[in-house]
Structures are given as C-alpha cells and as structure tokens.
Amino acid sequence: MKISSEQLIIDLQNTVCNAIHTAENLQKKSENELNFRTSENSWSVLECLEHLNRYGNFYIPEITRQISASKTTAQPVFRSGILGNYFAESMLPKEKLNTMKTLKSMNPVHSQLNKNTVGEFIRQQHQLLELLEKAKSIDLNKTKTGISISKWIKLKLGDTFRFVINHNLRHLLQAEKVLKNI
C-alpha cells in the first residue's frame, strides 16, 4: 500500500474520531446492557472495550516512546511494509466477522467491568489523536515500533497506527453487534 502520509493521518484521525463518538454513545447505555453477552464465552460490550484498552496500554506508550526518540522528518509518501500491511488488513472488519484467538492476557472474558472501561477507552482514543498529530512531523516509514506479540518484530509507525486503529474499529463493530441482540 502506498499513500500520502498526510492523507493516511487524516484518514486515521477520522476513524479515531468516529470511535470516540461511538464510545460516547455507549456511555449512555446501562451497565446491564454493556455487560450483556450473547453466549457464555462471547464478549460483552465492556469486554470488547477492555480488550482494546489492554492493547492500548501496550501500544500507546510504545508509540509515544518511538515518536519521542525519532530523529526523522516527515516524508510525503507512506509505503506499508509487507508484514505491517498484512497485520493492519487482517484487523479490518469483514462482512462476517471472523473470530481470532487472542492472547490470554488480552482476553477480558468474565471480567468484572463497569462504565469506567468506556471512559478509559475514550481517554486512550484522545491520546491516539495526540500521537497522530505528533506523527505528522516524523517519517512514518523509518520510525519503527515493537509489537505486543514479539519484541523481535518491528513495524513501521504508519502500519502500527493502522493496525491499532483497525483493531479498535473491528471490536467496536463487535460491540455494536452485541447491543443489537439485546
């Protein structure tokens, strides 16, 4: 994938703003609705958001560190890496959401959660917006981040943003589907 760096950031900012709007609407629901699950091992709305918060707890500090350490300058074009593009694209929601295994530490099933989970998700989305703004001044190709599943694999910052934000989108759609079953 090849795209203007500026356009990539604008697109990602728009997706994050939509995620904030969705989460703000979720805050209007009761905790009973937000804790409803369609089956014993499916996730509730709050569990979907808690899952995202756990990933945010890894990626937001990692992205922050790499942006702060970057000595690069912005480049006009972002070229996705093979692995980064694969990860980012695999997170995009499909017509029928394919289930994926998650790491045990990232699986919130049967956690005791309340609306603070939604507030934390919104806070993390605002942090992502700030990081996207800072990323406008550095090279999204040369600045690399670690990933949660392996300290040996590094992705281009642009791909990391795409992965994290697509992952958020995926689970927000999952959460909205749960609410339709109430």
Side-chain angles (χ1 to χ4, degrees), residues 112-157:
Q112 297 298 309
L113 302 168
N114 58 39
K115 283 190 177 185
N116 291 337
T117 303
V118 182
E120 173 62 14
F121 178 76
I122 292 169
R123 188 185 70 75
Q124 287 188 4
Q125 297 315 292
H126 284 288
Q127 287 180 293
L128 270 177
L129 285 176
E130 289 173 21
L131 291 168
L132 284 164
E133 195 60 38
K134 289 178 181 176
K136 288 179 177 179
S137 64
I138 64 170
D139 189 336
L140 300 175
N141 295 292
K142 288 193 176 147
T143 305
K144 310 269 178 135
T145 66
I147 64 171
S148 60
I149 59 171
S150 170
K151 62 182 178 180
W152 308 111
I153 299 173
K154 303 274 187 213
L155 297 182
K156 295 178 178 189
L157 178 60

Side-chain angles (χ1 to χ4, degrees), residues 1-2 78-92 155-156 158-160 162-163 166:
M1 181 192 90
K2 180 178 164 184
F78 173 71
R79 286 178 183 82
S80 187
I82 294 169
L83 193 58
N85 193 54
Y86 171 78
F87 285 148
E89 294 288 322
S90 72
M91 284 300 119
L92 281 172
L155 297 182
K156 295 178 178 189
D159 284 329
T160 302
R162 290 175 60 227
F163 168 78
N166 288 351

Side-chain angles (χ1 to χ4, degrees), residues 17-120:
C17 287
N18 289 336
I20 291 168
H21 179 73
T22 298
E24 287 170 345
N25 286 332
L26 292 174
Q27 281 185 313
K28 298 172 187 170
K29 303 289 183 186
S30 71
E31 282 192 5
N32 281 343
E33 289 172 299
L34 296 175
N35 277 304
F36 171 81
R37 67 180 68 233
T38 57
S39 69
E40 181 62 24
N41 290 315
S42 66
W43 288 355
S44 68
V45 170
L46 289 179
E47 288 167 337
C48 290
L49 294 181
E50 175 63 16
H51 172 71
L52 297 176
N53 290 344
R54 290 177 185 189
Y55 272 96
N57 288 339
F58 173 82
Y59 281 102
I60 290 171
E62 174 65 9
I63 292 168
T64 301
R65 274 191 300 277
Q66 300 313 323
I67 288 175
S68 295
S70 182
K71 305 284 189 242
T72 65
T73 56
Q75 296 300 305
V77 175
F78 173 71
R79 286 178 183 82
S80 187
I82 294 169
L83 193 58
N85 193 54
Y86 171 78
F87 285 148
E89 294 288 322
S90 72
M91 284 300 119
L92 281 172
K94 304 191 180 35
E95 187 67 36
K96 182 184 182 311
L97 264 186
N98 53 324
T99 56
M100 296 179 152
K101 287 276 186 199
T102 190
L103 298 172
K104 191 174 182 179
S105 63
M106 298 298 186
N107 189 343
V109 72
H110 302 296
S111 298
Q112 297 298 309
L113 302 168
N114 58 39
K115 283 190 177 185
N116 291 337
T117 303
V118 182
E120 173 62 14

